[in-house]
């Protein structure tokens, strides 16, 4: 299954429950999963416990019969929803009457009743739940699990591993109750003494008042004596890895370099790469070529910085990670040397990005927001926003977040303030809502994902967008306010027969998108690329920032389609190329290291057969790609320098059938 699916999930991969003898032997089929998941076991019990999205915690016998329902768990009801959130995971403790439940991002324990019909326990307020329940997390958690003793729970979030001991938590609760009881008794006794003194004046009224003031002044200090709330033990997990750093010196000679440093163009240039960075660039003869440099003549070709996709969804395999991700290599082959994935759905890409940095997986530099901050968080106040964003600043270390329509304006402002405090760069979800877009712009959000849904926009919108330096990534392949631009390109470009695209894209993925378009056919006059690209051009000319975001619609080639759509309204190709490079770098805060070809910057660049200043569509004439100082062949991604290494046969490659009637792809 895994070798046939393009990901990120694998349909039908977990279609059946089986058991395998630990000593080896035949596999025994138990039952079809039928929407059931998370099989687990408890002590001294001959049943298999599972989860169902509607029925909650259930169990069956080892022969698949006698399904029983035990408990369902729900949380709060998000704004606009008709039903409360249901637990995504419910795991019965290995012994006892407890179960853990994950609702949204938070983890709870609930008590399973021993008799009667299976109840639904709502934990939106655990203190008032129908059966004893407790909330264990403040900032959220992932991958919850029981310890085998049934009293210890584990979960993680990013680099943090947490251990929660239920007995220790209960003991701390008893200590707090005892403290509160003793304090209440002391206050009661004090009030009674004060009442006695008031009834019989002892002539020391002023002194008594001074004594009372002293007592009140110490009340805050007394509160510090109260035992603190129990907190789970926290462990920080660190796995050292070596960053991929190539070694060697390469001189590229005779090439036209479009540096993107302003509008600089260097004809017949020399470009020197040392290890992973650019050492020098200039007119031929003006740059000293080191004695140990390998010299490569690239006369007649054009070099530009590597492309930066500011809104890429690369969707790698989840849970069971794979040794190479096709979307990574497709993007790199088409010149995307850096990407940012805003709203990754899961945190799997955090690990994949580390592997790319270490050189164990081939791909662009990967930056990401992690899962979005959604309205389902139901943020209560600024402190709650701070807790939620701590996931990203302390544990995921994303440096950025995506605020995904996370509530009303005040809630969005809390997120913005908390993000600034924690040095996180937030971006937003456009949501086909111009008023919302303007609110977020005025409040100071530094990024707008997806285009303004109306055209034309007037000069005030252009001016504020530009002066605010809000990075505008329109993602025209999924246009708001008109047919998606990707439909136009799929209709006119014959992607299904593109040999390079077929080499880097699983056949099921490409054929499913390119052969039949469920979106339907649109007359060319219906498309709005001309109007939307005019907005991009106006923002650029007013001094604003834009970025090219392919939205993961067609990995690799989709970046070029998006760039061409953004330049539709007769934009100067040099302006479009700057948006695809240095402006994209600035949009995600990396312009100090990437985005231009100049001394000291990372060696991310593209060698093109034709000059895209003559025709923006020449961006797709890539001969070679250099990322981080490693040079790859543009058609195969075989490494050329400083080492020679072949990518080899990719897992989804298969022989094309021959001699069959019907549709024939390119040879």
């Amino acid at each position: 299954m895994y070798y046939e699916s393009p990901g990120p999930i694998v349909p039908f991969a977990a279609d059946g429950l089986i058991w395998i003898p630990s000593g080896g032997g035949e596999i025994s089929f138990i039952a079809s999963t039928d929407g059931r998941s998370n099989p687990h076991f408890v002590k001294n019990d001959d049943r298999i416990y599972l989860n169902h999205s509607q029925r909650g915690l259930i169990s069956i016998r080892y022969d698949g019969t006698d399904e029983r329902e035990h408990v369902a768990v729900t949380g709060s009801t998000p704004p606009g929803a008709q039903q409360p959130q249901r637990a995504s995971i419910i795991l019965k403790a290995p012994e006892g009457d407890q179960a853990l439940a994950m609702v949204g991002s938070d983890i709870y324990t609930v008590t399973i009743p021993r008799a009667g019909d299976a109840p639904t326990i709502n934990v939106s307020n655990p203190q008032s739940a129908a059966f004893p329940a407790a909330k264990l997390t403040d900032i959220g958690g992932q991958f919850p699990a029981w310890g085998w003793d049934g009293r210890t729970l584990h979960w993680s979030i990013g680099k943090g591993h947490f251990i929660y001991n239920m007995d220790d938590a209960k003991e701390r609760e008893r200590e707090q109750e005892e403290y509160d009881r003793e304090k209440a008794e002391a206050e009661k006794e004090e009030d009674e003494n004060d009442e006695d003194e008031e009834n019989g004046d002892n002539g020391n009224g002023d002194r008594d008042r001074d004594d009372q003031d002293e007592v009140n002044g110490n009340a805050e200090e007394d509160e510090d004596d109260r035992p603190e709330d129990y907190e789970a033990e926290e462990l920080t997990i660190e796995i050292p890895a070596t960053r991929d750093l190539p070694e060697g010196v390469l001189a590229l000679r005779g090439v036209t370099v479009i540096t993107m440093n302003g509008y600089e163009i260097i004809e017949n240039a020399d470009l020197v790469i040392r290890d992973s960075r650019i050492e020098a660039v200039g007119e031929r003869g003006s740059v000293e070529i080191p004695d140990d440099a390998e010299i490569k003549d690239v006369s007649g070709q054009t070099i530009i910085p590597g492309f930066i996709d500011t809104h890429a969804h690369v969707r790698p395999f989840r849970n069971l990670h794979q040794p190479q991700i096709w979307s990574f290599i497709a993007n790199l082959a088409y010149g995307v040397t850096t990407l940012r994935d805003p709203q990754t759905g899961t945190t799997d890409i955090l690990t994949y990005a580390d592997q790319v940095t270490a050189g164990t997986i081939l791909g662009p530099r990967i930056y990401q927001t992690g899962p979005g901050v959604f309205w389902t968080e139901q943020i209560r106040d600024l402190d709650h926003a701070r807790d939620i964003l701590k996931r990203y600043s302390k544990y995921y270390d994303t440096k950025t977040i995506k605020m995904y329509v996370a509530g009303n304006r005040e809630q969005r402002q809390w997120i913005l303030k908390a993000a600034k405090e924690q040095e996180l760069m937030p971006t937003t979800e456009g949501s086909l809502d111009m008023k919302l877009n303007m609110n977020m712009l005025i409040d100071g959000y530094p990024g707008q994902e997806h285009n303004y849904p109306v055209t034309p926009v007037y000069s005030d919108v252009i001016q504020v967008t530009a002066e605010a330096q809000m990075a505008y990534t329109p993602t025209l392949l999924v246009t708001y306010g008109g047919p998606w631009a990707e439909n136009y390109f799929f209709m006119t470009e014959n992607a299904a027969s593109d040999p390079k695209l077929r080499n880097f894209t699983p056949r099921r993925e490409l054929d499913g998108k390119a052969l039949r378009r469920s979106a339907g056919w649109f007359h060319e006059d219906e498309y709005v690329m001309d109007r939307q690209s005019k907005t991009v051009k106006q923002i650029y000319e007013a001094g604003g920032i834009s970025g090219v975001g392919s939205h993961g619609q067609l990995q690799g080639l989709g970046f070029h389609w998006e760039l061409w759509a953004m330049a539709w309204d007769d934009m100067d190709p040099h302006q479009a190329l700057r948006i695809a490079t240095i402006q994209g770098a600035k949009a995600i805060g990396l312009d100090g290291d990437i985005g231009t070809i100049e001394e000291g910057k990372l060696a991310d660049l593209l060698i093109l057969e034709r000059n895209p200043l003559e025709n923006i569509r020449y961006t797709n004439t890539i001969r070679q790609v250099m990322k981080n100082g490693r040079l790859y062949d543009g058609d195969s991604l075989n490494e050329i320098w400083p080492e020679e290494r072949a990518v080899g046969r990719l897992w989804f490659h298969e022989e094309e059938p021959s001699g069959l009637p019907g549709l024939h792809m390119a040879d």
Side-chain angles (χ1 to χ4, degrees):
M1 285 296 179
Y2 282 90
Y3 292 98
E4 295 177 358
S5 174
I9 59 175
V10 183
F12 314 115
D15 236 17
L17 288 168
I18 62 172
W19 64 267
I20 306 172
S22 58
E26 293 186 4
I27 296 173
S28 298
F29 178 79
I30 300 172
S32 296
T33 51
D34 290 332
R36 299 173 292 194
S37 60
N38 299 323
H40 57 286
F41 310 91
V42 303
K43 297 178 182 178
N44 304 315
D45 196 328
D46 60 355
R47 302 183 68 80
I48 303 170
Y49 288 83
L50 303 115
N51 294 167
H52 188 277
S53 59
Q54 299 299 315
R55 301 195 295 275
L57 180 68
I58 60 178
S59 69
I60 58 174
R61 292 177 177 171
Y62 270 81
D63 62 3
T65 64
D66 189 29
E67 180 180 292
R68 300 177 188 173
E69 299 179 16
H70 300 280
V71 67
V73 180
T74 60
S76 58
T77 302
Q82 300 299 316
Q83 300 292 331
Q85 299 179 82
R86 290 184 172 273
S88 57
I89 298 174
I90 307 176
L91 301 177
K92 193 175 188 306
E95 60 180 57
D97 59 359
Q98 296 294 297
L100 70 78
M102 186 167 180
V103 182
S105 297
D106 284 308
I107 299 170
Y108 302 80
T109 56
V110 297
T111 301
I112 304 173
R114 296 184 181 277
D117 295 335
T120 296
I121 302 175
N122 186 285
V123 295
S124 57
N125 183 358
Q127 287 72 30
S128 60
F131 294 86
K135 183 181 179 184
L136 311 187
T137 54
D138 291 322
I139 64 172
Q142 297 175 287
F143 315 116
W146 283 102
W148 194 234
D149 61 1
R151 303 300 297 170
T152 305
L153 299 97
H154 300 257
W155 68 85
S156 69
I157 184 166
K159 65 179 181 180
H161 179 87
F162 296 83
I163 305 171
Y164 188 100
N165 187 290
M166 295 181 66
D167 295 330
D168 290 347
K170 181 60 71 174
E171 177 60 29
R172 179 61 54 85
E173 188 178 319
R174 283 194 290 266
E175 292 172 359
Q176 291 177 328
E177 290 173 352
E178 182 179 357
Y179 174 90
D180 294 342
R181 184 173 60 255
E182 291 176 353
K183 183 179 179 181
E185 291 173 353
E187 290 175 348
K188 180 179 179 181
E189 182 178 349
E190 185 177 317
D191 291 342
E192 291 174 349
N193 291 337
D194 288 346
E195 185 177 341
D196 291 342
E197 291 174 0
E198 289 175 3
N199 292 335
D201 188 353
N202 59 9
N204 295 322
D206 290 340
R207 189 176 66 188
D208 290 341
R209 280 191 292 274
D210 290 340
D211 291 343
Q212 185 61 43
D213 289 342
E214 183 177 347
V215 170
N216 292 337
N218 291 332
E220 189 172 326
E221 295 181 16
D222 292 342
E223 191 66 27
D224 292 340
D225 295 336
R226 189 178 192 272
E228 296 181 353
D229 292 343
Y230 175 81
E231 292 186 357
E233 179 186 359
E234 179 178 346
L235 304 176
T236 298
I237 307 300
E238 295 183 353
I239 302 175
T242 301
R243 183 182 296 270
D244 179 43
L245 290 173
E247 295 181 353
V249 184
L250 177 66
L252 302 173
R253 309 202 70 180
V255 69
T256 297
V257 178
I258 308 172
T259 67
M260 305 303 164
N261 187 7
Y263 290 90
E264 180 183 44
I265 302 171
I266 306 175
E267 304 281 358
N268 194 20
D270 286 342
L271 175 59
V272 178
I273 311 297
R274 182 179 293 276
D275 301 335
S276 64
R277 292 192 178 263
I278 298 169
E279 184 169 277
V281 61
E283 294 180 359
R284 188 169 187 137
S286 68
V287 172
E288 181 179 350
I289 306 298
D291 293 337
D292 58 343
E294 180 178 331
I295 298 175
K296 182 178 178 64
D297 186 355
V298 285
S299 299
Q301 298 171 55
T302 302
I303 288 181
I304 62 174
F307 292 134
I308 299 165
D309 193 329
T310 57
H311 191 127
H313 294 307
V314 285
R315 305 182 183 98
F317 284 99
R318 298 173 180 173
N319 298 321
L320 184 60
H321 286 192
Q322 300 298 299
Q324 183 60 65
I325 302 301
W326 70 267
S327 61
F328 294 4
I329 57 178
N331 276 287
L332 186 60
Y334 278 92
V336 176
T337 54
T338 299
L339 62 82
R340 180 192 61 175
D341 191 332
Q343 207 308 85
T344 59
T346 69
T347 56
D348 297 82
I349 197 170
L350 300 176
T351 307
Y352 282 119
D354 288 343
Q355 293 182 75
V356 171
T357 302
T360 58
I361 285 181
L362 188 59
R365 305 175 190 281
I366 297 176
Y367 298 88
Q368 70 284 315
T369 65
V373 181
F374 288 93
W375 61 92
T376 52
E377 300 286 359
Q378 301 179 69
I379 294 174
R380 300 183 297 274
D381 51 34
L382 178 57
D383 284 337
H384 188 205
R386 288 169 174 144
D387 283 343
I388 290 171
L389 264 57
K390 196 180 294 184
R391 299 176 202 157
Y392 302 89
S393 62
K394 182 177 180 180
Y395 297 101
Y396 297 157
D397 192 27
T398 60
K399 307 292 193 301
T400 179
I401 62 165
K402 184 172 186 181
M403 190 284 296
Y404 206 115
V405 202
N408 61 33
R409 191 170 188 180
E410 184 178 37
Q411 291 169 309
R412 299 194 303 269
Q413 290 172 342
W414 288 333
I415 293 171
L416 187 61
K417 185 173 183 179
K420 184 176 182 180
E421 292 173 354
Q422 298 180 34
E423 298 184 339
L424 293 165
M425 181 186 285
T427 191
T428 64
E429 172 68 19
S431 298
L432 199 62
D433 188 331
M434 191 67 180
K435 289 183 179 179
L436 173 66
N437 298 165
M438 294 300 97
N439 282 165
M440 296 186 296
L441 167 62
I442 292 168
D443 286 346
Y445 272 94
Q448 161 86 17
E449 307 302 318
H450 304 297
N451 62 287
Y452 291 148
V454 298
T455 54
V457 293
Y458 294 104
S459 59
D460 56 344
V461 173
I462 298 297
Q463 182 180 348
V464 175
T465 303
E467 291 183 0
Q469 294 290 281
M470 185 190 74
Y472 180 68
T473 301
T475 63
L476 297 183
L477 292 185
V478 288
T479 312
Y480 288 159
W484 288 7
E486 71 165 358
N487 293 318
Y488 174 85
F489 288 109
F490 275 119
M491 184 174 64
T492 59
E493 294 295 317
N494 194 17
S497 296
D498 187 316
K500 178 175 177 177
L501 196 59
R502 294 186 71 81
N503 184 54
F504 291 109
T505 310
R507 181 169 182 171
R508 179 181 294 184
E509 170 79 5
L510 183 56
D511 288 357
K513 290 183 173 183
L515 295 182
R516 293 188 180 185
R517 299 297 297 162
S518 59
W521 177 87
F522 300 91
H523 191 280
E524 189 169 338
D525 291 347
E526 290 293 301
Y527 289 96
V528 295
M529 288 90 77
D530 55 343
R531 284 170 276 167
Q532 288 292 346
S533 63
K534 185 175 182 179
T535 300
V536 177
K537 183 179 179 181
Q538 290 173 326
I539 291 172
Y540 181 95
E541 292 176 345
I545 305 170
S546 294
V548 180
S550 67
H551 200 257
Q553 297 306 109
L554 182 66
Q555 304 292 349
L557 183 56
F559 181 92
H560 298 264
W561 288 1
E562 177 69 19
L563 176 59
W564 303 344
M566 291 174 66
W568 202 275
D569 185 48
D570 295 326
M571 178 183 283
D572 181 343
H574 210 150
Q575 295 178 344
L577 292 170
R578 283 177 51 78
I579 291 173
T581 55
I582 183 57
Q583 287 212 348
K586 189 173 183 180
I588 60 177
L590 298 173
D591 50 311
D593 275 315
I594 59 176
T596 61
I597 296 176
E598 55 185 312
E599 181 181 340
K601 287 206 172 180
L602 289 165
D604 291 0
L605 54 89
L606 311 178
I607 302 176
L608 307 179
E609 294 180 358
R610 306 188 73 172
N611 190 333
L613 295 181
E614 300 172 3
N615 186 330
I616 193 62
R617 290 199 170 214
Y618 291 165
T619 57
N620 192 24
T621 62
I622 297 171
R623 174 167 287 186
Q624 292 165 345
V625 177
M626 176 174 280
K627 179 238 169 177
N628 200 44
R630 294 192 184 276
L631 188 63
Y632 303 94
D633 176 76
D635 289 329
S636 66
L637 276 192
N638 292 335
E639 185 176 340
I640 301 170
W641 189 90
E643 302 174 60
E644 293 185 1
R645 291 185 292 187
V647 171
R649 184 182 178 90
L650 299 172
W651 55 265
F652 55 83
H653 283 171
E654 56 186 272
E655 296 295 331
E656 294 281 358
S658 59
L660 296 178
L663 183 64
H664 292 277
M665 297 301 170
D667 294 332

